[in-house]
Amino acid sequence: MENQARPESKRTPPLVDAHLDLAYNALLGQDPRLPLEELRETDAGRALAARGETPTVSIPALRAGGIALVFGTIFVLPANAPSDLRGRGYATAQEAYAAATRQVEYYRQLEDDGDIRLVGGRSDLHPLLDAFGRDPSAAPLGVVPLMEGADPIRTPGELGHWVEQGVRIVGPAWRATRYSGGTEAPGPLTRDGRDLMVELGKAGAALDTSHMAEQSFWDALRLFHGPTIASHSNCRRFVPGDRHLSDEMIRAIVDRDGVIGVVLYNHFLDPTWNAGDSKAAVHLDAVLRHIEHICELARDTRHVGIGTDLDGGFGREAIPAELDSCADLPAIGGALLAAVWSPAEASDVMGSNWLRWLADALPAT
């Protein structure tokens, strides 16, 4: 991929990961403040490894990988979730609200302890990146709160409360919710979902289309005209199924000047890979295939980034052969350079595109 109009950058920007479930996993006993090797040796880490989900994410490992900022989810599991997922699911909107509130409180505690810095506006970005530039190993991890699945919003009019609590991006779906059809649950936006799109516009929040059923996706784009992304979605061209984006959906996000985060789960990179297969069967060229396809559709490199979902129900055993943890994410940039991408283009994918999008999408303060 080559873009002659882009000047070369003399400084590699910080990396950004647009999708991690830090609070959800922490409240299940997976402490993200621990060095990764220590986390893997905890009871929670050993239990995950026994399930074939060896942990790959901790805040020290993110720092080691040069990741300055992540989109940290507020995700609560519905009661009808697949039985192999950990945690007790919510059955009512009030239960979802309470569980999501605990996750917001957890992020605030991490910030009070100096482990993270919550990013709520453009004015938060520059101090965060300046601190990272001075000493990446000591800088707090930037976290932009993203609600994945809107059921914690008890009524559409309650969205303003969550924006006051720091939520800046809302994904209406995970599977089906009270607002939207979702993964493996096709359908349109509900009446509340349509009202939620109006409230998103009023509140100045952004829309995350990942997990939305295709009919809901198009409903949402007809009703909502603000900042739009897919935080963690791959290309349906290579991986069939409604979890991924069709070419038409990708073009629609590009038309909104949005960004699409590529997921690093092997089955979402190569559909011939299945749980239990050797991770050695999938390499970074599978990641590049999705990145390059999005760039070809967009006709530039400004609309794709990384949204790893590395702590989203899979582990070291299910990510490309070259990766052991989030600390290895720079290897993707190296693979892009080896594929004759320019340093500026590789930097787009590894962080600059998300930072540019945030600079436009976030409120001033």
Side-chain angles (χ1 to χ4, degrees):
M1 178 63 63
E2 187 173 352
N3 185 340
Q4 296 291 344
R6 291 296 307 281
E8 297 296 330
S9 173
K10 295 182 179 179
R11 181 182 177 186
T12 300
L15 275 61
V16 176
D17 185 342
H19 201 90
L20 289 175
D21 297 324
L22 297 175
Y24 172 77
N25 286 307
L27 294 177
L28 290 176
Q30 194 173 334
D31 188 347
R33 298 167 297 181
L34 295 175
L36 188 57
E37 290 308 315
E38 290 185 23
L39 175 59
R40 288 174 173 176
E41 293 302 317
T42 64
D43 289 345
R46 289 178 180 274
L48 286 168
R51 292 161 52 100
E53 298 175 15
T54 300
T56 61
V57 176
S58 73
I59 292 173
L62 289 164
R63 287 176 175 152
I67 294 91
L69 183 143
V70 304
F71 295 8
T73 69
I74 297 162
F75 168 72
V76 292
L77 193 71
N80 63 355
S83 60
D84 61 332
L85 295 180
R86 299 178 305 128
R88 178 179 176 273
Y90 64 88
T92 67
Q94 180 59 38
E95 289 179 357
Y97 174 92
T101 298
R102 289 192 292 273
Q103 292 184 29
V104 169
E105 291 169 349
Y106 180 77
Y107 283 127
R108 287 180 174 166
Q109 185 61 56
L110 286 180
E111 184 173 52
D112 289 345
D113 293 343
D115 294 301
I116 70 169
R117 182 172 296 160
L118 292 170
V119 174
R122 295 193 296 271
S123 61
D124 298 320
L125 281 176
H126 291 302
L128 175 76
L129 298 177
D130 286 346
F132 184 87
R134 288 192 300 272
D135 185 355
S137 64
L141 176 72
V143 174
V144 179
L146 181 160
M147 183 175 284
E148 181 180 22
D151 275 347
I153 305 170
R154 291 173 294 189
T155 67
E158 191 178 66
L159 175 64
H161 162 77
W162 289 103
V163 172
E164 289 175 358
Q165 298 303 305
V167 173
R168 292 295 177 262
I169 307 166
V170 175
W174 181 64
R175 291 185 177 239
T177 64
R178 290 179 294 108
Y179 294 98
S180 176
T183 300
E184 298 181 355
L189 290 179
T190 65
R191 176 177 295 180
D192 279 349
R194 296 192 295 273
D195 291 344
L196 182 64
M197 294 303 103
V198 175
E199 296 298 329
L200 277 177
K202 291 178 181 178
L207 172 68
D208 182 5
T209 63
S210 288
H211 282 293
M212 293 185 77
E214 187 158 359
Q215 187 176 353
S216 291
F217 174 97
W218 293 115
D219 287 348
L221 265 60
R222 281 190 290 271
L223 294 168
F224 177 76
H225 304 287
T228 302
I229 63 169
S231 68
H232 62 309
S233 294
N234 289 354
C235 302
R236 196 181 298 174
R237 174 69 64 91
F238 307 122
V239 184
D242 64 0
R243 176 62 182 83
H244 308 289
L245 301 173
S246 69
D247 287 0
E248 293 75 15
M249 296 164 83
I250 291 170
R251 290 190 183 99
I253 294 170
V254 169
D255 287 345
R256 294 287 180 93
D257 202 27
V259 181
I260 297 161
V262 172
V263 186
L264 298 186
Y265 176 40
N266 280 348
H267 185 63
F268 288 179
L269 295 167
D270 180 347
T272 68
W273 189 94
N274 292 293
D277 291 350
S278 170
K279 66 178 282 157
V282 179
H283 292 267
L284 289 180
D285 59 350
V287 180
L288 267 59
R289 180 171 67 160
H290 288 265
I291 292 172
E292 289 175 340
H293 184 65
I294 294 168
C295 292
E296 287 167 2
L297 293 174
R299 299 184 178 181
D300 63 34
T301 61
R302 290 168 49 86
H303 300 283
V304 63
I306 304 299
T308 68
D309 202 20
L310 279 176
D311 56 359
F314 56 95
R316 176 177 62 186
E317 298 82 356
I319 61 178
E322 296 87 347
L323 307 179
D324 178 77
S325 76
C326 62
D328 300 316
L329 291 184
I332 298 173
L336 291 168
L337 294 175
V340 201
W341 287 51
S342 74
E345 291 169 337
S347 293
D348 280 349
V349 175
M350 300 307 295
S352 292
N353 287 337
W354 285 122
L355 294 174
R356 171 187 57 79
W357 182 83
L358 287 169
D360 291 336
L362 289 174
T365 57

